[in-house]
Amino acid sequence: MVVTEPLIEGRLIRRYARFLMDLRMPDGSVLTVHCPNSGSMEGCLEAGAPVLASRSANPGRKYACTAEWIKLEAGWCGINTHRTNLIAGEALRAGRIPGLEGYGDVRAEVPYGRRSRADFLLRGDGLPRCYVEVKNTTWPTPEGGVGFPDAVTERGLRHLAELRRAKREGARAVMLFLVNRQDGAHFRAAGEKDPAYAKALAASVGAGVEAMAFRVRIDPPEAVVAEPLPLVRKCRETLKPLVP
């Protein structure tokens, strides 16, 4: 995925009102940009860190620029969650995600279950239909991993329930976590942030839902799916594999 809009760089002053971010520009001025990220963004907001924002050509927008990446100690971190499905869709259509190759028909935003839309429905000759949900993952866990979610997510719970339903009905069901930062040795559910989600993810994997985690390699203006990360489950103070 390549961001084709012009990019400008400022330094983070603050993120506020959930979807706004103030940047200090090189000339000293303050620019308010749209920050399309509904999470807490904990672990991603270092005051003074460089931020790349894309500039829209739409003259009707209240905020002309959108925050795309923030540069942390380990490298760029993707904070525009609207880009995550674009990154995943490009990789799925190119067959670059191990275990999900061979599907010639990749459709986005397909209605399924009860009042839900799957991020992707994959179809291929001789293959079972495959529903894929994608989650942008950026919370740094205390033991050196990356976790999801960074706040309580009722929507995430609903998606897991729909994936379990799809699996019971004979489809493949995949929960795809895209780790949109350059550090973190593994992925796990962030039970500290949402115990119900961590429990539901483990139960879903036990019921046959496939969980996968892949790093997003970021080299602005490009972001692509890169190497897989091991999935683990935190049990008190220890870690064990989430996927047997």
Side-chain angles (χ1 to χ4, degrees), residues 4 9 31 43 55 70 72 94-95 144 175 186 192-193 202 206 239:
T4 58
E9 183 173 326
L31 177 68
R55 184 180 295 277
I70 185 167
L72 308 178
M175 186 71 251
H186 57 260
E192 304 95 322
K193 302 299 181 182
L239 299 172

Side-chain angles (χ1 to χ4, degrees), residues 33 37-38 51 85 106 125 141 159 163 207 224:
V33 303
N37 191 315
S38 61
V51 175
N85 278 20
V106 178
D125 293 340
T141 65
H159 289 160
L163 288 175
V224 297

Side-chain angles (χ1 to χ4, degrees), residues 88-167:
E90 179 181 81
L92 288 168
R93 292 182 178 95
R96 292 203 308 265
I97 297 182
L100 296 177
E101 315 96 322
Y103 289 94
D105 184 10
V106 178
R107 302 183 186 184
E109 294 293 318
V110 177
Y112 81 135
R114 299 175 180 175
R115 307 188 312 278
S116 292
R117 288 180 176 269
D119 286 331
F120 295 98
L121 171 61
L122 316 183
R123 294 181 182 273
D125 293 340
L127 298 172
R129 69 189 188 283
C130 179
Y131 292 97
V132 180
E133 291 289 347
V134 181
K135 297 299 180 188
N136 190 69
T137 305
T138 58
W139 183 64
T141 65
E143 79 287 347
V146 184
F148 179 89
D150 64 4
V152 172
T153 173
E154 293 183 5
R155 187 167 179 263
L157 281 176
R158 186 174 73 249
H159 289 160
L160 287 176
E162 297 294 7
L163 288 175
R164 291 196 299 273
R165 187 191 314 278
K167 179 63 179 178

Side-chain angles (χ1 to χ4, degrees), residues 218-231:
I218 303 169
D219 184 15
E222 185 178 37
V224 297
V225 174
E227 74 273 12
L229 292 181
L231 284 78

Side-chain angles (χ1 to χ4, degrees), residues 165-237:
R165 187 191 314 278
K167 179 63 179 178
R168 289 195 301 269
E169 293 174 353
R172 283 185 72 185
V174 176
M175 186 71 251
L176 177 60
F177 298 98
L178 290 191
V179 174
N180 217 338
R181 57 186 297 150
Q182 308 311 295
D183 53 1
H186 57 260
F187 167 86
R188 69 171 172 84
E192 304 95 322
K193 302 299 181 182
D194 191 341
Y197 186 86
K199 182 178 179 180
L201 179 61
S204 298
V205 170
V209 173
E210 302 170 55
M212 304 178 179
F214 288 84
R215 177 104 55 210
V216 175
R217 186 178 70 246
I218 303 169
D219 184 15
E222 185 178 37
V224 297
V225 174
E227 74 273 12
L229 292 181
L231 284 78
V232 300
R233 181 180 181 184
K234 187 173 183 182
C235 301
R236 295 185 181 179
E237 299 305 317

Side-chain angles (χ1 to χ4, degrees), residues 65-77:
C65 296
T66 300
E68 300 287 351
W69 298 289
I70 185 167
K71 195 168 191 179
L72 308 178
E73 183 177 352
W76 292 105
C77 174

